[in-house]
Amino acid sequence: MIEAINRAMNALDAYWAKHGTPDPRVIAQVHAKLEEHASGCSDDWQALLNNALRDLGYDVEWRGEDVHALTPMPAEGTQAD
């Protein structure tokens, strides 16, 4: 479980190194969501990260094991163009 959280955070760290590190509060929110979801994801760190970020309103686009993009999901009740 801890290994899955570490791998998920490492993938995000690599993404943020290329695209800018967010506010420390955002990092803390992501880490809290990872811990919240960790018990249900076994060792599937990518599913863990997907679930945690979805809870925070983001969709993850993957390129292999690398996070390629984080896209804000439309708010409920709005339609995408």
Side-chain angles (χ1 to χ4, degrees), residues 36-42:
E36 182 179 313
H37 286 281
S39 64
C41 286
S42 63

Side-chain angles (χ1 to χ4, degrees), residues 5-76:
I5 292 172
N6 288 339
R7 289 192 68 189
M9 286 303 296
N10 286 340
L12 275 179
D13 286 342
Y15 173 80
W16 289 330
K18 295 176 188 172
H19 301 282
T21 303
D23 184 279
R25 290 175 293 196
V26 172
I27 296 169
Q29 287 176 327
V30 171
H31 197 269
K33 285 294 180 181
L34 288 170
E35 288 181 353
E36 182 179 313
H37 286 281
S39 64
C41 286
S42 63
D43 290 330
D44 189 349
W45 65 272
Q46 286 177 304
L48 174 63
L49 187 55
N50 280 333
N51 292 337
L53 290 175
R54 189 174 302 118
D55 278 2
L56 295 170
Y58 289 89
D59 188 38
V60 181
E61 182 181 332
W62 294 97
R63 294 278 165 90
E65 292 190 350
D66 296 329
V67 175
H68 178 70
L70 297 177
T71 307
M73 295 175 11
E76 286 188 33

